[in-house]
Amino acid sequence: MSLIAATRSETTKQFSTSMWWVLAIVFVLYVGSSAGALGFVFAASASGSLPGEAPQLPASEIAPVLYSAATSLGYVFPLLIGTLLVTGEFRHKTLTPTFLAVPRRGRVLWAKLIASVPLGVLYGALGVLATVGPSAALLAAYGLDTELDSTDTWAMIGRMMIATLLWVFVGIGVGSLVRNQVGAIVGVLVFTQFIEPIARTAAAFVEGMTAVTQYLPGAASDALVGASILTMASPGGTGESLEWWAGGLVLLGYAAALLALGALVSWRRDVS
């Protein structure tokens, strides 16, 4: 079977189950509600509408942080969908007929990557709509600049799309390396929701530690996008951060390394 035929088959498998759209709905609800809640607080703070002695945030920094919530808070969703695309096949043994039809297993992995591009673009677009829409509405309601007329904003949105796609690739790499679906999901959640956030927060209090944590996948993704709620909330500001292109290369490097390890270590083993 040719790569084109294998890619067509992988695309059909991706969209033949409810997994992709169920996770997409949860993704939109999560990042949309998060951006809306943060937008209300940040916009009220910047406009001086909060009661008491609440600190007043600089208005110029709010829009990028709110818009980037799709990647800074929601990157776990494209990571999970990429992981599930592979581990689901190991779990349900659907890789067996696939490998019988396409004996070259490396071609199957390439077909999965190519077929996942539309899914990554779709998740990126949904994330942008879910965060930019409510955030811009709240900023406008409080009389603050939405910055939607700025080329920098649209460049950041483009980088958000790229980051989302790269996270899908990273997920496919994780799934190809860790065949057990439960283990892969638990590992992804533990690392993204606990280990890395704690490490990056602790780095703000330890001199020189940000020189290391800036190379973590989430930090690289934030650097690629150019804005993040985590860096804004960190004591001392953003600290050390990679250039956007370097962040993209680091995240791509994680995907490539995981895919290479998966192809060498796990992908060649028996499925049944």
Side-chain angles (χ1 to χ4, degrees):
M1 184 183 292
S2 67
L3 179 60
I4 295 176
T7 301
R8 188 183 302 116
S9 174
E10 292 300 327
T11 303
T12 301
K13 284 193 290 186
Q14 279 183 186
F15 293 101
S16 62
T17 67
S18 60
M19 176 181 63
W20 70 271
W21 62 261
V22 170
L23 200 60
I25 291 174
V26 178
F27 171 54
V28 168
L29 292 175
Y30 175 69
V31 297
S33 60
S34 298
L38 291 172
F40 174 77
V41 175
F42 289 177
S45 172
S47 62
S49 302
L50 289 178
E53 300 295 328
Q56 189 167 348
L57 296 175
S60 61
E61 298 181 8
I62 294 178
V65 170
L66 293 177
Y67 297 162
S68 67
T71 49
S72 62
L73 298 179
Y75 70 90
V76 67
F77 289 92
L79 175 57
L80 280 175
I81 192 65
T83 303
L84 292 171
L85 288 176
V86 184
T87 57
E89 294 217 63
F90 281 117
R91 179 182 180 185
H92 299 291
K93 307 300 182 183
T94 52
L95 270 180
T96 299
T98 299
F99 286 159
L100 289 174
V102 189
R104 295 185 177 181
R105 297 188 177 190
R107 183 174 294 176
V108 176
L109 194 55
W110 274 109
K112 283 189 176 295
L113 286 172
I114 297 171
S116 71
V117 171
L119 198 60
V121 172
L122 175 62
Y123 270 66
L126 290 174
V128 168
L129 291 173
T131 55
V132 175
S135 299
L138 283 166
L139 291 173
Y142 278 91
L144 301 174
D145 186 5
T146 63
E147 299 189 30
L148 290 178
D149 57 348
S150 170
T151 56
D152 289 341
T153 299
W154 289 103
M156 184 190 74
I157 289 174
R159 294 194 300 270
M160 288 168 59
M161 299 285 291
I162 295 173
T164 304
L165 178 58
L166 289 177
W167 277 116
V168 175
F169 290 168
V170 172
I172 293 175
V174 172
S176 66
L177 181 61
V178 185
R179 297 160 59 129
N180 182 276
Q181 188 172 70
V182 174
I185 293 173
V186 170
V188 164
L189 293 177
V190 168
F191 185 84
T192 61
Q193 306 304 303
F194 295 98
I195 296 177
E196 180 168 352
I198 291 173
R200 291 176 63 185
T201 302
F205 299 93
V206 180
E207 185 177 356
M209 189 173 173
T210 54
V212 176
T213 57
Q214 65 178 334
Y215 290 99
L216 292 173
S221 177
D222 289 346
L224 169 60
V225 173
S228 167
I229 180 63
L230 183 59
T231 53
M232 182 182 183
S234 296
T238 58
E240 292 186 62
S241 178
L242 300 171
E243 296 290 336
W244 70 266
W245 57 267
L249 288 177
V250 169
L251 193 58
L252 179 61
Y254 276 107
L258 288 167
L259 286 164
L261 286 172
L264 291 172
V265 176
S266 179
W267 204 245
R268 296 180 177 181
R269 292 162 50 193
D270 290 339
V271 177
S272 306

